[in-house]
Amino acid sequence: MSEDAGPGNAAQMASPSYRLAALDQDFLLGDSMRGVRFLMEYAKAEEALRAWGVRSTIVVFGSARTEENGDPLHRRWYGAARDFGRIASERGGALRATPGEPRDNVIATGGGPGVMGAANRGAYDIGAPSIGFNITLPHEQEPNPWSTPELTFRFHYFAMRKMHLAMRANALVVFPGGFGTFDELFEILTLRQTQKAPDIPVVLFDETYWRSVIGFDHLVQHGMIAARDLDLISFAEDAEGLWAELLRRGLRPGHPSVPDPRQPALQSRSVTG
């Protein structure tokens, strides 16, 4: 070997700077790439939903702690969520009549157990697709076994998960739950109140529960919300009642809540206008 050949390029080849950016996990997980990771979480779910023709959804929230064989209230909530998942999937447009037809009112949940699993299970019972938008948590949440595998997602960012939950929603059905359920409910109510989201129905299951844990009328009495803001919500007591209330409040089976003839059939709707 010539004395002028140099030391070789092994160090250069091994350097992190030489890795292809798309294959450099240390780089992709760094602070400067947070915006890129945020975009990736949007795009990955968006592509899968489009591939399945999901044009609109019915979002179901509720506690992961609700047990199918728990106390009588838990059994009632779980059973109603499962029945509703079936009814909405049968009648709403989640099942395609012809190949390539858009799917509407597809059940979408947070992907976990309890009420979420029950709603996904109702869709599964009749062979309809349903969506699970899971989130990475310190105590790892695993997806329930009822959401469609190709439509079962996991997010790192709560904000992007919330956006995907909201952006195709034709309606929101909320079963009894705790902090997480409250968070999602009031997020949507705030978007509705401030007209940052389409005029979609929000129906709460089990009025007794909700009025026992939230003083809606007291919010009006103390001037924290306007009396008209209470019109943003209504209540139902069984699965058929939920479906009837959604229809009464403007849900259109087989259609997105805000159709726009200028846009492609599967165009998503922004939740911020």
Side-chain angles (χ1 to χ4, degrees):
M1 180 179 294
S2 169
E3 293 182 359
D4 297 329
N9 64 357
Q12 286 78 14
M13 295 283 287
S15 172
S17 64
Y18 188 71
R19 299 173 191 159
L20 288 172
L23 302 179
D24 187 345
Q25 189 174 62
D26 292 333
F27 170 67
L28 290 174
L29 296 179
D31 287 344
S32 66
M33 288 293 101
R34 183 170 286 111
V36 173
R37 295 196 300 274
F38 202 69
L39 174 59
M40 290 171 65
E41 288 207 339
Y42 168 78
K44 183 177 181 180
E46 179 74 6
E47 286 193 7
L49 291 164
R50 284 175 177 265
W52 273 73
V54 177
R55 181 167 60 178
S56 63
T57 62
I58 294 177
V59 176
V60 180
F61 292 142
S63 176
R65 303 184 185 194
T66 300
E67 298 178 353
E68 181 181 11
N69 298 312
D71 65 40
L73 271 178
H74 278 224
R75 292 199 300 271
R76 178 190 171 212
W77 298 335
Y78 186 100
R82 182 176 178 180
D83 289 343
F84 176 74
R86 173 183 54 78
I87 290 169
S89 298
E90 281 179 334
R91 306 175 191 175
L95 292 168
R96 279 176 164 165
T98 57
E101 183 180 25
R103 301 181 194 269
D104 284 302
N105 301 310
V106 176
I107 292 293
T109 77
V115 162
M116 296 174 285
N120 289 128
R121 187 175 180 181
Y124 178 91
D125 288 340
I126 62 162
S130 70
I131 303 163
F133 290 118
N134 295 265
I135 188 75
T136 298
L137 298 172
H139 301 288
E140 194 65 41
Q141 171 188 307
E142 293 186 358
N144 69 66
W146 313 114
S147 59
T148 300
E150 294 84 356
L151 298 176
T152 299
F153 307 104
R154 182 170 65 163
F155 294 87
H156 174 76
Y157 296 106
F158 266 106
M160 184 51 65
R161 178 185 186 238
K162 288 173 182 288
M163 182 173 175
H164 269 297
L165 279 164
M167 64 187 296
R168 287 179 172 81
N170 266 356
L172 174 64
V173 172
V174 191
F175 283 80
F179 290 166
T181 303
F182 284 25
D183 174 49
E184 303 290 1
L185 168 61
F186 282 103
E187 180 96 19
I188 297 296
L189 288 179
T190 300
L191 290 172
R192 287 282 296 103
Q193 182 191 50
T194 57
Q195 299 182 0
K196 290 289 187 179
D199 183 9
I200 63 172
V202 178
V203 184
L204 311 186
F205 186 83
D206 193 343
E207 184 172 3
T208 298
Y209 172 84
W210 286 107
R211 292 199 180 277
S212 72
V213 297
I214 301 175
F216 294 106
D217 294 329
H218 292 298
L219 291 171
V220 176
Q221 292 169 12
H222 289 293
M224 298 297 104
I225 63 174
R228 66 177 178 274
D229 291 331
L230 295 182
D231 294 335
L232 296 174
I233 60 174
S234 57
F235 302 92
E237 303 302 321
D238 56 38
E240 287 287 356
L242 283 170
W243 182 249
E245 184 63 11
L246 293 179
L247 296 179
R248 187 187 73 81
R249 296 191 56 151
L251 182 75
R252 299 176 62 204
H255 295 275
S257 61
V258 187
D260 185 346
R262 299 168 300 172
Q263 300 296 330
L266 301 183
Q267 179 76 24
S268 300
R269 291 172 287 120
S270 170
V271 299
T272 57

mmCIF file of all heavy atoms in Angstrom, residues 58 84 87 91 170-174 199-207 230-253:
data_model
loop_
_atom_site.group_PDB
_atom_site.id
_atom_site.type_symbol
_atom_site.label_atom_id
_atom_site.label_comp_id
_atom_site.label_asym_id
_atom_site.label_seq_id
_atom_site.Cartn_x
_atom_site.Cartn_y
_atom_site.Cartn_z
ATOM 1 N N ILE A 58 -67.917 8.556 14.252
ATOM 2 C CA ILE A 58 -68.612 8.885 15.493
ATOM 3 C C ILE A 58 -67.644 8.537 16.609
ATOM 4 O O ILE A 58 -67.225 7.380 16.749
ATOM 5 C CB ILE A 58 -69.926 8.102 15.650
ATOM 6 C CG1 ILE A 58 -70.934 8.519 14.589
ATOM 7 C CG2 ILE A 58 -70.509 8.319 17.050
ATOM 8 C CD1 ILE A 58 -72.241 7.734 14.629
ATOM 9 N N PHE A 84 -74.394 0.356 21.113
ATOM 10 C CA PHE A 84 -74.333 1.552 20.283
ATOM 11 C C PHE A 84 -73.311 1.385 19.157
ATOM 12 O O PHE A 84 -73.554 1.800 18.016
ATOM 13 C CB PHE A 84 -73.984 2.795 21.103
ATOM 14 C CG PHE A 84 -73.830 4.016 20.251
ATOM 15 C CD1 PHE A 84 -74.933 4.652 19.716
ATOM 16 C CD2 PHE A 84 -72.563 4.501 19.932
ATOM 17 C CE1 PHE A 84 -74.799 5.757 18.885
ATOM 18 C CE2 PHE A 84 -72.409 5.602 19.108
ATOM 19 C CZ PHE A 84 -73.533 6.230 18.578
ATOM 20 N N ILE A 87 -75.109 -0.572 16.501
ATOM 21 C CA ILE A 87 -76.179 0.183 15.853
ATOM 22 C C ILE A 87 -75.607 1.246 14.915
ATOM 23 O O ILE A 87 -76.025 1.378 13.756
ATOM 24 C CB ILE A 87 -77.087 0.832 16.919
ATOM 25 C CG1 ILE A 87 -77.901 -0.237 17.641
ATOM 26 C CG2 ILE A 87 -78.009 1.877 16.289
ATOM 27 C CD1 ILE A 87 -78.609 0.280 18.877
ATOM 28 N N ARG A 91 -76.110 1.221 10.807
ATOM 29 C CA ARG A 91 -77.010 2.208 10.208
ATOM 30 C C ARG A 91 -76.316 3.468 9.705
ATOM 31 O O ARG A 91 -76.924 4.263 8.970
ATOM 32 C CB ARG A 91 -78.072 2.609 11.232
ATOM 33 C CG ARG A 91 -78.829 1.428 11.815
ATOM 34 C CD ARG A 91 -79.788 1.882 12.905
ATOM 35 N NE ARG A 91 -80.332 0.761 13.669
ATOM 36 C CZ ARG A 91 -81.115 0.881 14.736
ATOM 37 N NH1 ARG A 91 -81.467 2.106 15.157
ATOM 38 N NH2 ARG A 91 -81.538 -0.180 15.377
ATOM 39 N N ASN A 170 -68.395 13.231 13.066
ATOM 40 C CA ASN A 170 -69.766 13.633 12.792
ATOM 41 C C ASN A 170 -70.551 13.830 14.077
ATOM 42 O O ASN A 170 -71.584 14.493 14.075
ATOM 43 C CB ASN A 170 -70.480 12.560 11.961
ATOM 44 C CG ASN A 170 -70.426 12.832 10.470
ATOM 45 O OD1 ASN A 170 -69.924 13.856 10.030
ATOM 46 N ND2 ASN A 170 -70.953 11.910 9.694
ATOM 47 N N ALA A 171 -70.094 13.189 15.143
ATOM 48 C CA ALA A 171 -70.806 13.250 16.414
ATOM 49 C C ALA A 171 -69.874 12.773 17.515
ATOM 50 O O ALA A 171 -68.884 12.070 17.256
ATOM 51 C CB ALA A 171 -72.061 12.371 16.383
ATOM 52 N N LEU A 172 -70.227 13.150 18.740
ATOM 53 C CA LEU A 172 -69.485 12.729 19.921
ATOM 54 C C LEU A 172 -70.462 12.120 20.917
ATOM 55 O O LEU A 172 -71.458 12.747 21.281
ATOM 56 C CB LEU A 172 -68.782 13.935 20.561
ATOM 57 C CG LEU A 172 -68.065 13.699 21.886
ATOM 58 C CD1 LEU A 172 -66.909 12.731 21.705
ATOM 59 C CD2 LEU A 172 -67.560 15.022 22.452
ATOM 60 N N VAL A 173 -70.192 10.881 21.322
ATOM 61 C CA VAL A 173 -70.995 10.199 22.336
ATOM 62 C C VAL A 173 -70.095 9.944 23.533
ATOM 63 O O VAL A 173 -69.022 9.344 23.385
ATOM 64 C CB VAL A 173 -71.565 8.874 21.792
ATOM 65 C CG1 VAL A 173 -72.228 8.074 22.901
ATOM 66 C CG2 VAL A 173 -72.558 9.153 20.668
ATOM 67 N N VAL A 174 -70.523 10.404 24.705
ATOM 68 C CA VAL A 174 -69.662 10.341 25.882
ATOM 69 C C VAL A 174 -70.343 9.545 26.985
ATOM 70 O O VAL A 174 -71.407 9.936 27.491
ATOM 71 C CB VAL A 174 -69.304 11.748 26.395
ATOM 72 C CG1 VAL A 174 -68.202 11.652 27.444
ATOM 73 C CG2 VAL A 174 -68.860 12.648 25.251
ATOM 74 N N ASP A 199 -70.688 22.051 13.615
ATOM 75 C CA ASP A 199 -71.842 21.915 14.504
ATOM 76 C C ASP A 199 -72.251 20.448 14.570
ATOM 77 O O ASP A 199 -73.144 19.997 13.849
ATOM 78 C CB ASP A 199 -72.993 22.774 13.985
ATOM 79 C CG ASP A 199 -74.208 22.736 14.902
ATOM 80 O OD1 ASP A 199 -74.092 22.193 16.015
ATOM 81 O OD2 ASP A 199 -75.275 23.230 14.495
ATOM 82 N N ILE A 200 -71.582 19.690 15.439
ATOM 83 C CA ILE A 200 -71.872 18.269 15.562
ATOM 84 C C ILE A 200 -72.595 18.004 16.880
ATOM 85 O O ILE A 200 -72.401 18.713 17.860
ATOM 86 C CB ILE A 200 -70.590 17.416 15.481
ATOM 87 C CG1 ILE A 200 -69.655 17.733 16.657
ATOM 88 C CG2 ILE A 200 -69.896 17.616 14.144
ATOM 89 C CD1 ILE A 200 -68.461 16.800 16.756
ATOM 90 N N PRO A 201 -73.440 16.972 16.922
ATOM 91 C CA PRO A 201 -74.126 16.647 18.170
ATOM 92 C C PRO A 201 -73.173 16.049 19.198
ATOM 93 O O PRO A 201 -72.280 15.271 18.862
ATOM 94 C CB PRO A 201 -75.186 15.632 17.743
ATOM 95 C CG PRO A 201 -74.694 15.064 16.459
ATOM 96 C CD PRO A 201 -73.890 16.135 15.795
ATOM 97 N N VAL A 202 -73.386 16.434 20.454
ATOM 98 C CA VAL A 202 -72.644 15.886 21.590
ATOM 99 C C VAL A 202 -73.676 15.322 22.554
ATOM 100 O O VAL A 202 -74.476 16.073 23.127
ATOM 101 C CB VAL A 202 -71.786 16.954 22.295
ATOM 102 C CG1 VAL A 202 -71.059 16.357 23.493
ATOM 103 C CG2 VAL A 202 -70.796 17.584 21.314
ATOM 104 N N VAL A 203 -73.679 14.003 22.714
ATOM 105 C CA VAL A 203 -74.696 13.348 23.540
ATOM 106 C C VAL A 203 -74.015 12.590 24.672
ATOM 107 O O VAL A 203 -73.090 11.800 24.432
ATOM 108 C CB VAL A 203 -75.560 12.381 22.700
ATOM 109 C CG1 VAL A 203 -76.665 11.779 23.564
ATOM 110 C CG2 VAL A 203 -76.162 13.108 21.497
ATOM 111 N N LEU A 204 -74.472 12.842 25.888
ATOM 112 C CA LEU A 204 -73.916 12.199 27.078
ATOM 113 C C LEU A 204 -74.834 11.063 27.510
ATOM 114 O O LEU A 204 -76.060 11.236 27.579
ATOM 115 C CB LEU A 204 -73.769 13.204 28.219
ATOM 116 C CG LEU A 204 -73.082 14.540 27.890
ATOM 117 C CD1 LEU A 204 -72.881 15.342 29.167
ATOM 118 C CD2 LEU A 204 -71.766 14.323 27.175
ATOM 119 N N PHE A 205 -74.242 9.938 27.824
ATOM 120 C CA PHE A 205 -75.019 8.769 28.248
ATOM 121 C C PHE A 205 -75.149 8.762 29.765
ATOM 122 O O PHE A 205 -74.170 8.915 30.490
ATOM 123 C CB PHE A 205 -74.332 7.487 27.787
ATOM 124 C CG PHE A 205 -75.145 6.252 28.072
ATOM 125 C CD1 PHE A 205 -76.151 5.860 27.201
ATOM 126 C CD2 PHE A 205 -74.926 5.505 29.216
ATOM 127 C CE1 PHE A 205 -76.918 4.734 27.469
ATOM 128 C CE2 PHE A 205 -75.682 4.383 29.491
ATOM 129 C CZ PHE A 205 -76.684 3.995 28.620
ATOM 130 N N ASP A 206 -76.385 8.561 30.251
ATOM 131 C CA ASP A 206 -76.719 8.478 31.681
ATOM 132 C C ASP A 206 -76.717 9.864 32.324
ATOM 133 O O ASP A 206 -75.755 10.288 32.972
ATOM 134 C CB ASP A 206 -75.783 7.539 32.426
ATOM 135 C CG ASP A 206 -76.294 7.202 33.833
ATOM 136 O OD1 ASP A 206 -77.174 7.925 34.352
ATOM 137 O OD2 ASP A 206 -75.823 6.211 34.410
ATOM 138 N N GLU A 207 -77.823 10.565 32.147
ATOM 139 C CA GLU A 207 -77.935 11.941 32.644
ATOM 140 C C GLU A 207 -77.714 12.025 34.144
ATOM 141 O O GLU A 207 -77.105 12.987 34.636
ATOM 142 C CB GLU A 207 -79.306 12.514 32.279
ATOM 143 C CG GLU A 207 -79.474 13.970 32.669
ATOM 144 C CD GLU A 207 -80.751 14.588 32.139
ATOM 145 O OE1 GLU A 207 -81.548 13.849 31.497
ATOM 146 O OE2 GLU A 207 -80.959 15.802 32.353
ATOM 147 N N LEU A 230 -75.568 25.392 27.129
ATOM 148 C CA LEU A 230 -76.090 24.089 27.538
ATOM 149 C C LEU A 230 -76.760 23.361 26.377
ATOM 150 O O LEU A 230 -76.952 22.142 26.430
ATOM 151 C CB LEU A 230 -77.071 24.248 28.701
ATOM 152 C CG LEU A 230 -76.480 24.770 30.018
ATOM 153 C CD1 LEU A 230 -77.556 24.825 31.095
ATOM 154 C CD2 LEU A 230 -75.317 23.895 30.473
ATOM 155 N N ASP A 231 -77.118 24.112 25.329
ATOM 156 C CA ASP A 231 -77.705 23.474 24.150
ATOM 157 C C ASP A 231 -76.684 22.675 23.359
ATOM 158 O O ASP A 231 -77.046 21.932 22.440
ATOM 159 C CB ASP A 231 -78.329 24.537 23.230
ATOM 160 C CG ASP A 231 -79.519 25.236 23.874
ATOM 161 O OD1 ASP A 231 -80.154 24.635 24.762
ATOM 162 O OD2 ASP A 231 -79.801 26.387 23.489
ATOM 163 N N LEU A 232 -75.406 22.808 23.712
ATOM 164 C CA LEU A 232 -74.374 22.045 23.026
ATOM 165 C C LEU A 232 -74.429 20.565 23.378
ATOM 166 O O LEU A 232 -73.857 19.734 22.662
ATOM 167 C CB LEU A 232 -72.976 22.590 23.383
ATOM 168 C CG LEU A 232 -72.668 24.019 22.931
ATOM 169 C CD1 LEU A 232 -71.312 24.451 23.477
ATOM 170 C CD2 LEU A 232 -72.684 24.120 21.409
ATOM 171 N N ILE A 233 -75.093 20.228 24.478
ATOM 172 C CA ILE A 233 -75.143 18.835 24.916
ATOM 173 C C ILE A 233 -76.585 18.381 25.087
ATOM 174 O O ILE A 233 -77.501 19.188 25.285
ATOM 175 C CB ILE A 233 -74.388 18.619 26.243
ATOM 176 C CG1 ILE A 233 -75.008 19.472 27.356
ATOM 177 C CG2 ILE A 233 -72.908 18.924 26.088
ATOM 178 C CD1 ILE A 233 -74.437 19.216 28.735
ATOM 179 N N SER A 234 -76.771 17.071 24.994
ATOM 180 C CA SER A 234 -78.049 16.460 25.355
ATOM 181 C C SER A 234 -77.737 15.090 25.941
ATOM 182 O O SER A 234 -76.577 14.682 26.026
ATOM 183 C CB SER A 234 -78.986 16.369 24.146
ATOM 184 O OG SER A 234 -78.376 15.646 23.089
ATOM 185 N N PHE A 235 -78.780 14.369 26.352
ATOM 186 C CA PHE A 235 -78.590 13.134 27.104
ATOM 187 C C PHE A 235 -79.410 12.001 26.500
ATOM 188 O O PHE A 235 -80.402 12.223 25.802
ATOM 189 C CB PHE A 235 -79.003 13.340 28.563
ATOM 190 C CG PHE A 235 -78.254 14.436 29.265
ATOM 191 C CD1 PHE A 235 -78.750 15.735 29.291
ATOM 192 C CD2 PHE A 235 -77.048 14.170 29.893
ATOM 193 C CE1 PHE A 235 -78.059 16.748 29.937
ATOM 194 C CE2 PHE A 235 -76.345 15.180 30.537
ATOM 195 C CZ PHE A 235 -76.848 16.468 30.560
ATOM 196 N N ALA A 236 -78.970 10.780 26.778
ATOM 197 C CA ALA A 236 -79.713 9.588 26.372
ATOM 198 C C ALA A 236 -79.475 8.494 27.404
ATOM 199 O O ALA A 236 -78.485 8.526 28.142
ATOM 200 C CB ALA A 236 -79.297 9.118 24.985
ATOM 201 N N GLU A 237 -80.399 7.520 27.435
ATOM 202 C CA GLU A 237 -80.368 6.503 28.488
ATOM 203 C C GLU A 237 -80.185 5.083 27.986
ATOM 204 O O GLU A 237 -80.078 4.160 28.791
ATOM 205 C CB GLU A 237 -81.658 6.601 29.328
ATOM 206 C CG GLU A 237 -81.896 7.958 29.951
ATOM 207 C CD GLU A 237 -80.738 8.402 30.858
ATOM 208 O OE1 GLU A 237 -80.190 7.542 31.583
ATOM 209 O OE2 GLU A 237 -80.370 9.599 30.819
ATOM 210 N N ASP A 238 -80.176 4.876 26.686
ATOM 211 C CA ASP A 238 -79.893 3.551 26.138
ATOM 212 C C ASP A 238 -79.339 3.722 24.738
ATOM 213 O O ASP A 238 -79.278 4.837 24.207
ATOM 214 C CB ASP A 238 -81.130 2.640 26.152
ATOM 215 C CG ASP A 238 -82.329 3.231 25.420
ATOM 216 O OD1 ASP A 238 -82.143 3.884 24.362
ATOM 217 O OD2 ASP A 238 -83.464 3.049 25.892
ATOM 218 N N ALA A 239 -78.888 2.607 24.150
ATOM 219 C CA ALA A 239 -78.209 2.688 22.858
ATOM 220 C C ALA A 239 -79.129 3.215 21.760
ATOM 221 O O ALA A 239 -78.727 4.041 20.932
ATOM 222 C CB ALA A 239 -77.648 1.325 22.477
ATOM 223 N N GLU A 240 -80.369 2.736 21.722
ATOM 224 C CA GLU A 240 -81.319 3.237 20.733
ATOM 225 C C GLU A 240 -81.595 4.715 20.945
ATOM 226 O O GLU A 240 -81.750 5.484 19.985
ATOM 227 C CB GLU A 240 -82.614 2.427 20.778
ATOM 228 C CG GLU A 240 -82.513 1.031 20.195
ATOM 229 C CD GLU A 240 -82.419 1.013 18.671
ATOM 230 O OE1 GLU A 240 -82.512 2.079 18.044
ATOM 231 O OE2 GLU A 240 -82.251 -0.096 18.106
ATOM 232 N N GLY A 241 -81.663 5.114 22.209
ATOM 233 C CA GLY A 241 -81.873 6.524 22.508
ATOM 234 C C GLY A 241 -80.715 7.393 22.041
ATOM 235 O O GLY A 241 -80.919 8.517 21.565
ATOM 236 N N LEU A 242 -79.490 6.874 22.168
ATOM 237 C CA LEU A 242 -78.329 7.607 21.659
ATOM 238 C C LEU A 242 -78.449 7.833 20.156
ATOM 239 O O LEU A 242 -78.246 8.943 19.661
ATOM 240 C CB LEU A 242 -77.051 6.825 21.958
ATOM 241 C CG LEU A 242 -76.506 6.868 23.378
ATOM 242 C CD1 LEU A 242 -75.384 5.844 23.548
ATOM 243 C CD2 LEU A 242 -75.996 8.270 23.739
ATOM 244 N N TRP A 243 -78.774 6.768 19.432
ATOM 245 C CA TRP A 243 -78.883 6.885 17.977
ATOM 246 C C TRP A 243 -80.001 7.850 17.595
ATOM 247 O O TRP A 243 -79.825 8.707 16.721
ATOM 248 C CB TRP A 243 -79.103 5.509 17.367
ATOM 249 C CG TRP A 243 -79.168 5.533 15.869
ATOM 250 C CD1 TRP A 243 -80.256 5.303 15.075
ATOM 251 C CD2 TRP A 243 -78.081 5.807 14.968
ATOM 252 N NE1 TRP A 243 -79.915 5.417 13.747
ATOM 253 C CE2 TRP A 243 -78.594 5.726 13.647
ATOM 254 C CE3 TRP A 243 -76.728 6.122 15.159
ATOM 255 C CZ2 TRP A 243 -77.802 5.948 12.525
ATOM 256 C CZ3 TRP A 243 -75.933 6.341 14.030
ATOM 257 C CH2 TRP A 243 -76.473 6.252 12.739
ATOM 258 N N ALA A 244 -81.152 7.731 18.263
ATOM 259 C CA ALA A 244 -82.272 8.619 17.959
ATOM 260 C C ALA A 244 -81.911 10.076 18.245
ATOM 261 O O ALA A 244 -82.277 10.985 17.474
ATOM 262 C CB ALA A 244 -83.498 8.211 18.775
ATOM 263 N N GLU A 245 -81.175 10.311 19.331
ATOM 264 C CA GLU A 245 -80.801 11.683 19.677
ATOM 265 C C GLU A 245 -79.804 12.248 18.661
ATOM 266 O O GLU A 245 -79.884 13.433 18.299
ATOM 267 C CB GLU A 245 -80.213 11.725 21.085
ATOM 268 C CG GLU A 245 -79.884 13.110 21.596
ATOM 269 C CD GLU A 245 -81.092 14.022 21.747
ATOM 270 O OE1 GLU A 245 -82.249 13.532 21.661
ATOM 271 O OE2 GLU A 245 -80.893 15.241 21.956
ATOM 272 N N LEU A 246 -78.888 11.431 18.197
ATOM 273 C CA LEU A 246 -77.959 11.896 17.163
ATOM 274 C C LEU A 246 -78.706 12.283 15.895
ATOM 275 O O LEU A 246 -78.415 13.316 15.277
ATOM 276 C CB LEU A 246 -76.925 10.811 16.856
ATOM 277 C CG LEU A 246 -75.924 10.468 17.955
ATOM 278 C CD1 LEU A 246 -74.985 9.367 17.484
ATOM 279 C CD2 LEU A 246 -75.123 11.691 18.393
ATOM 280 N N LEU A 247 -79.671 11.461 15.498
ATOM 281 C CA LEU A 247 -80.458 11.783 14.313
ATOM 282 C C LEU A 247 -81.268 13.065 14.532
ATOM 283 O O LEU A 247 -81.360 13.917 13.636
ATOM 284 C CB LEU A 247 -81.387 10.623 13.963
ATOM 285 C CG LEU A 247 -80.723 9.308 13.550
ATOM 286 C CD1 LEU A 247 -81.790 8.252 13.272
ATOM 287 C CD2 LEU A 247 -79.819 9.491 12.339
ATOM 288 N N ARG A 248 -81.852 13.182 15.703
ATOM 289 C CA ARG A 248 -82.646 14.380 16.007
ATOM 290 C C ARG A 248 -81.798 15.637 15.929
ATOM 291 O O ARG A 248 -82.275 16.696 15.492
ATOM 292 C CB ARG A 248 -83.268 14.249 17.398
ATOM 293 C CG ARG A 248 -84.250 15.377 17.742
ATOM 294 C CD ARG A 248 -84.716 15.305 19.184
ATOM 295 N NE ARG A 248 -83.679 15.710 20.118
ATOM 296 C CZ ARG A 248 -83.390 16.980 20.406
ATOM 297 N NH1 ARG A 248 -84.039 17.973 19.813
ATOM 298 N NH2 ARG A 248 -82.443 17.273 21.278
ATOM 299 N N ARG A 249 -80.544 15.507 16.287
ATOM 300 C CA ARG A 249 -79.656 16.668 16.318
ATOM 301 C C ARG A 249 -78.873 16.847 15.017
ATOM 302 O O ARG A 249 -77.947 17.647 14.968
ATOM 303 C CB ARG A 249 -78.714 16.570 17.510
ATOM 304 C CG ARG A 249 -79.462 16.617 18.836
ATOM 305 C CD ARG A 249 -78.525 16.778 20.000
ATOM 306 N NE ARG A 249 -77.702 17.967 19.838
ATOM 307 C CZ ARG A 249 -77.215 18.677 20.854
ATOM 308 N NH1 ARG A 249 -77.503 18.328 22.088
ATOM 309 N NH2 ARG A 249 -76.451 19.713 20.641
ATOM 310 N N GLY A 250 -79.239 16.115 13.981
ATOM 311 C CA GLY A 250 -78.704 16.431 12.667
ATOM 312 C C GLY A 250 -77.749 15.439 12.053
ATOM 313 O O GLY A 250 -77.250 15.682 10.938
ATOM 314 N N LEU A 251 -77.436 14.321 12.735
ATOM 315 C CA LEU A 251 -76.568 13.327 12.118
ATOM 316 C C LEU A 251 -77.220 12.787 10.856
ATOM 317 O O LEU A 251 -78.409 12.448 10.840
ATOM 318 C CB LEU A 251 -76.307 12.175 13.087
ATOM 319 C CG LEU A 251 -75.371 11.088 12.553
ATOM 320 C CD1 LEU A 251 -73.930 11.565 12.571
ATOM 321 C CD2 LEU A 251 -75.524 9.804 13.354
ATOM 322 N N ARG A 252 -76.439 12.675 9.781
ATOM 323 C CA ARG A 252 -76.936 12.150 8.510
ATOM 324 C C ARG A 252 -76.224 10.841 8.216
ATOM 325 O O ARG A 252 -75.039 10.839 7.872
ATOM 326 C CB ARG A 252 -76.681 13.156 7.385
ATOM 327 C CG ARG A 252 -77.377 14.494 7.570
ATOM 328 C CD ARG A 252 -76.983 15.454 6.469
ATOM 329 N NE ARG A 252 -77.390 14.968 5.155
ATOM 330 C CZ ARG A 252 -76.805 15.326 4.019
ATOM 331 N NH1 ARG A 252 -75.761 16.130 4.029
ATOM 332 N NH2 ARG A 252 -77.242 14.854 2.862
ATOM 333 N N PRO A 253 -76.897 9.708 8.352
ATOM 334 C CA PRO A 253 -76.253 8.429 8.031
ATOM 335 C C PRO A 253 -75.732 8.413 6.594
ATOM 336 O O PRO A 253 -76.418 8.834 5.665
ATOM 337 C CB PRO A 253 -77.385 7.414 8.220
ATOM 338 C CG PRO A 253 -78.298 8.056 9.208
ATOM 339 C CD PRO A 253 -78.261 9.521 8.871
#
